[in-house]
Amino acid sequence: MINMANQLALYLKSEGMGALGRDMFVDGVPYTPDEAIWLSHVGGSAEFKLDTPSSWRKLSLNVRSTTSAGAQDRIWSAINKLLDPDDGVIEVDGQIYTVQITALPAVQDKDGAGRCLMKSVLILRQVKPVLETWLKAISVFTEAALGSQWRVYRGFNGTCRPSVSWQCLSVQSASASRGACQLTKQFVGQIAARSANEYQLAAQILLLGLAEQAKLPMGGAESRWLTVINSSATLRSGDLSTGILTVILMGAASVPQGTLSLMAGVHTVSQIHN
């Protein structure tokens, strides 16, 4: 099983935050040196009831320094590198991770040598982009509409700003003919901007673009299109720089051969929610 605290330590090492075994440690820290950073596994109740335990860990990020300013600088530098990685995600040994801060850095009591201590708590999650044609279509549209400065995540929530994280919220199907059915999918995009103005502009660009384009190309040799049924944007309560964009798309899907005899004469409507 992968030691996820060690994975995160390797990433911080690559970002110049320290050297393992010298001033950066995992699950334990020696008395020296005075300037150090370490990661420890945190137990307790499960944060994600359905996710496999191997896909995430709750960790504590700790630093010590001879000065309060030194401790502050070191822990916040580490957090900034975790939340805003250069590549949009944290990648170690071919695995992709994101970090969620669950407790902001807090000053701890000084240790026996009078050194300043600080601690933060985070969740490290292993993620994988979702490879699905409809999700690809809405993501490609978003990238073209907002430009290269915006990151677009497919199937999981990213941490960089500015970014849009797209996920499929629900799927509804209805029989259209003996050989095909009509699918309707609802997608939600988590918009994370750097300011209220940037959020408002991005939401407006996406909404106007969806209204103007009306159809999204799926790509491929068949040149299939998705119809934009509806789109709307709402601010997230308490944070004017973030919000949710909801888009409903409709398209045709072929029915797999061999299932028609079981479905003959039956018209069904089914719905799946994540």
Side-chain angles (χ1 to χ4, degrees):
M1 183 176 293
I2 296 175
N3 185 321
M4 296 182 74
N6 193 65
Q7 293 288 87
L8 198 57
L10 289 174
Y11 173 76
L12 290 174
K13 174 187 174 183
S14 71
E15 291 295 312
M17 288 303 303
L20 278 170
R22 188 181 69 191
D23 60 353
M24 181 183 295
F25 307 93
V26 175
D27 286 334
V29 59
Y31 188 75
T32 59
D34 290 335
E35 307 292 328
I37 181 171
W38 66 98
L39 291 154
S40 301
H41 287 87
V42 177
S45 61
E47 298 285 337
F48 307 102
K49 304 301 182 183
L50 298 180
D51 289 2
T52 59
S54 60
S55 68
W56 65 276
R57 285 291 186 276
K58 180 181 280 190
L59 306 171
S60 65
L61 174 66
N62 311 267
V63 302
R64 73 179 176 214
S65 176
T66 55
T67 66
S68 176
Q72 290 269 2
D73 289 345
R74 190 157 196 172
I75 198 167
W76 278 109
S77 294
I79 287 175
N80 288 335
K81 291 182 182 299
L82 295 176
L83 295 182
D84 192 19
D86 292 337
D87 295 329
V89 290
I90 296 169
E91 186 170 354
V92 183
D93 295 335
Q95 304 295 328
I96 298 175
Y97 304 92
T98 61
V99 162
Q100 174 190 351
I101 302 297
T102 62
L104 291 175
V107 176
Q108 308 295 299
D109 293 336
K110 290 184 178 181
D111 67 6
R115 295 172 295 196
C116 300
L117 304 177
M118 292 195 70
K119 175 183 177 180
S120 178
V121 180
L122 57 90
I123 292 176
L124 178 67
R125 296 193 67 179
Q126 185 177 350
V127 296
K128 293 182 179 180
V130 175
L131 304 178
E132 193 264 344
T133 54
W134 290 40
L135 188 61
K136 178 181 178 181
I138 191 68
S139 298
V140 168
F141 163 80
T142 304
E143 291 167 348
L146 297 182
S148 59
Q149 66 171 327
W150 283 75
R151 297 187 183 276
V152 179
Y153 299 96
R154 304 181 185 183
F156 65 92
N157 288 336
T159 57
C160 289
R161 294 189 182 220
S163 67
V164 182
S165 302
W166 282 109
Q167 298 181 62
C168 182
L169 183 64
S170 65
V171 181
Q172 183 174 346
S173 67
S175 300
S177 66
R178 285 182 59 83
C181 66
Q182 203 74 33
L183 287 182
T184 302
K185 297 185 181 183
Q186 183 180 38
F187 291 88
V188 292
Q190 307 277 350
I191 303 176
R194 294 166 294 191
S195 67
N197 286 338
E198 188 175 50
Y199 166 80
Q200 293 287 352
L201 180 59
Q204 179 175 304
I205 289 173
L206 292 175
L207 287 174
L208 291 177
L210 289 167
E212 180 180 350
Q213 191 157 334
K215 289 182 178 293
L216 300 180
M218 293 179 63
E222 299 180 3
S223 299
R224 295 166 60 191
W225 294 77
L226 299 172
T227 302
V228 180
I229 302 300
N230 186 30
S231 61
S232 61
T234 56
L235 281 169
R236 188 183 297 278
S237 177
D239 186 355
L240 299 182
S241 64
T242 64
I244 298 176
L245 178 64
T246 303
V247 179
I248 299 176
L249 303 176
M250 184 174 66
S254 58
V255 177
Q257 292 184 357
T259 62
L260 293 179
S261 59
L262 300 176
M263 300 168 59
V266 179
H267 298 277
T268 63
V269 174
S270 61
Q271 190 165 9
I272 303 173
H273 291 278
N274 285 339

